């Protein structure tokens, strides 16, 4: 599930397809920012934020989420090999799972699984860093923003497709499942999920509130 191109299709034409946003919906916080911070360490994170200052200033003016995310990839991940990044993403997911995942969201996720639904995570975060979470969840598919790699299989600092939010979420769902896709349910927590929710019979906006028990 490290690449979003490999989409497992529903087992039957009438199998319900249910879409979940990831950050803030299944999780309590933005996973990609936390991954970058975890991977960089305290000193690397501080230095990276200094290098991010021009992009941060630009974001304050234009609110371009795709641009600020691309800048963070260029600063914190450029030149990293795919193998190293996949290894680090898996280690990060294992380490933070218990304090990241919303219990009520997991219950709904598992309930749809018991009902035989095809569950797809649709996220603006890089698919590669969300993939370990998706595998642990048993997701049937993952659609996300894809990192670009060079001929040495190292991160170029760019994305190979558009930031997967808003209209792009619906475009990616239609690309994966056909132009007439109608979701049995969709769950999200920001304005970037509005278009995806609009093509769902059950529209779960900010449905999940639970936080992990840290005892």
């Amino acid at each position: 599930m490290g690449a979003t191109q490999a989409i497992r299709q529903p087992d039957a034409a009438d199998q319900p397809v249910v879409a979940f946003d990831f950050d803030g919906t299944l999780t309590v916080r933005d996973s990609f920012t936390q991954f970058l911070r975890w991977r960089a360490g305290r000193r690397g994170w501080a230095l990276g934020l200094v290098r991010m200052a021009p992009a941060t200033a630009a974001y304050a003016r234009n609110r371009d989420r795709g641009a600020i995310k691309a800048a963070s990839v260029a600063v914190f991940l450029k030149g990293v090999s795919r193998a190293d990044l996949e290894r680090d993403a898996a280690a990060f997911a294992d380490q933070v799972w218990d304090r990241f995942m919303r219990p009520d969201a997991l219950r709904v996720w598992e309930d749809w699984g018991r009902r035989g639904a095809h569950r797809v995570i649709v996220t603006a975060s890089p698919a590669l860093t969300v993939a370990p979470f998706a595998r642990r969840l048993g997701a049937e598919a993952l659609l996300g923003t894809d990192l670009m790699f060079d001929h040495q299989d190292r991160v170029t600092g760019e994305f190979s497709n558009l930031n997967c939010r808003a209209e792009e979420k619906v475009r990616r769902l239609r690309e994966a499942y056909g132009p007439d896709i109608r979701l049995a349910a969709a769950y999200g927590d920001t304005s970037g999920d509005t278009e995806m929710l609009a093509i769902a019979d059950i529209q779960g906006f900010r449905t999940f509130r639970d936080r992990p028990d840290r005892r």
Side-chain angles (χ1 to χ4, degrees):
M1 197 172 292
T4 58
Q5 289 87 346
I7 304 298
R8 174 181 166 185
Q9 293 297 313
D11 295 329
D14 59 351
Q15 184 181 16
V17 177
V18 180
F20 287 77
D21 170 56
F22 188 66
D23 297 304
T25 299
L26 286 166
T27 72
V28 296
R29 59 177 60 87
D30 182 85
S31 64
F32 188 50
T33 300
Q34 293 302 310
F35 170 71
L36 294 178
R37 186 170 188 168
W38 171 85
R39 189 178 184 281
R42 182 176 299 180
R43 177 176 170 78
W45 179 248
L47 292 174
L49 290 181
V50 172
R51 294 173 59 197
M52 285 282 297
T56 302
Y59 177 71
R61 297 191 302 271
N62 59 35
R63 313 306 290 181
D64 187 333
R65 293 173 183 266
I68 190 70
K69 187 183 300 178
S72 68
V73 170
V75 167
F76 290 101
L77 297 180
K78 186 175 181 178
V80 178
S81 72
R82 187 193 303 266
D84 285 349
L85 195 55
E86 288 179 340
R87 179 201 63 208
D88 292 345
F92 174 74
D94 286 342
Q95 184 171 321
V96 304
W97 179 275
D98 290 340
R99 64 177 187 270
F100 258 43
M101 309 306 291
R102 292 190 184 277
D104 52 350
L106 293 180
R107 287 193 293 270
V108 171
W109 174 275
E110 291 164 0
D111 180 61
W112 277 111
R114 285 190 292 269
R115 293 159 66 180
H118 177 100
R119 298 162 300 176
V120 53
I121 294 173
V122 189
T123 177
S125 285
L128 188 151
T129 61
V130 176
F133 293 93
R135 285 194 294 268
R136 185 161 173 173
L137 286 164
E140 279 70 40
L142 167 62
L143 301 171
T145 307
D146 290 320
L147 298 171
M148 184 178 290
F149 292 86
D150 63 18
H151 65 285
Q152 294 181 317
D153 218 18
R154 295 182 179 276
V155 178
T156 66
E158 300 174 321
F159 293 115
S160 63
N161 53 15
L162 295 177
N163 190 32
C164 190
R165 73 181 305 272
E167 295 92 346
E168 182 65 9
K169 288 198 172 188
V170 174
R171 192 194 71 78
R172 297 287 295 281
L173 284 163
R174 288 173 173 161
E175 181 180 66
Y177 302 109
D180 299 324
I181 179 66
R182 182 72 187 176
L183 302 172
Y187 301 92
D189 72 309
T190 71
S191 60
D193 300 308
T194 301
E195 290 84 354
M196 181 173 74
L197 296 174
I199 63 169
D201 295 332
I202 298 173
Q203 300 178 7
F205 183 69
R206 295 184 179 173
T207 299
F208 309 125
R209 304 283 184 173
D210 284 2
R211 301 185 71 83
D213 186 349
R214 295 190 178 186
R215 289 180 300 174

